[in-house]
């Protein structure tokens, strides 16, 4: 699968992207019989993971 780099040009587009990500994530979780990987969750929701031992706040994937 290819990664699509899209930047929203308005708040409405940003909201639509967020709603789509949450709906896709909810469908994925509901279909998963077993535990899911945190890396996959972060990719689906669009944020960068921090190391478990770090105390820094999360960053959006687009800001990296």
């Amino acid at each position: 699968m290819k990664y699509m780099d899209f930047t929203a040009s308005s708040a409405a587009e940003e909201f639509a992207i967020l709603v789509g990500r949450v709906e896709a994530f909810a469908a994925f979780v509901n279909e998963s019989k077993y535990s899911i990987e945190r890396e996959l969750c972060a990719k689906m929701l669009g944020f960068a993971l921090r190391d478990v031992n770090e105390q820094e706040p999360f960053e959006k994937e687009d800001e990296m």
Side-chain angles (χ1 to χ4, degrees):
M1 178 171 31
K2 234 180 177 176
Y3 177 73
M4 187 172 137
D5 190 20
F6 175 79
T7 304
S9 61
S10 68
E13 284 184 3
E14 184 76 28
F15 179 73
I17 292 168
L18 179 60
V19 168
R21 285 180 186 248
V22 170
E23 288 178 357
F25 183 71
F28 172 73
V29 171
N30 283 320
E31 292 296 319
S32 298
K33 186 175 181 180
Y34 302 104
S35 64
I36 53 181
E37 297 178 12
R38 63 190 291 260
E39 290 85 6
L40 183 58
C41 295
K43 286 180 182 179
M44 291 181 77
L45 294 176
F47 64 89
L49 284 176
R50 60 181 168 88
D51 188 22
V52 176
N53 297 326
E54 289 181 17
Q55 296 299 319
E56 296 179 21
F58 292 106
E59 296 179 12
K60 285 180 70 173
E61 209 171 76
D62 298 338
E63 295 175 356
M64 290 181 53

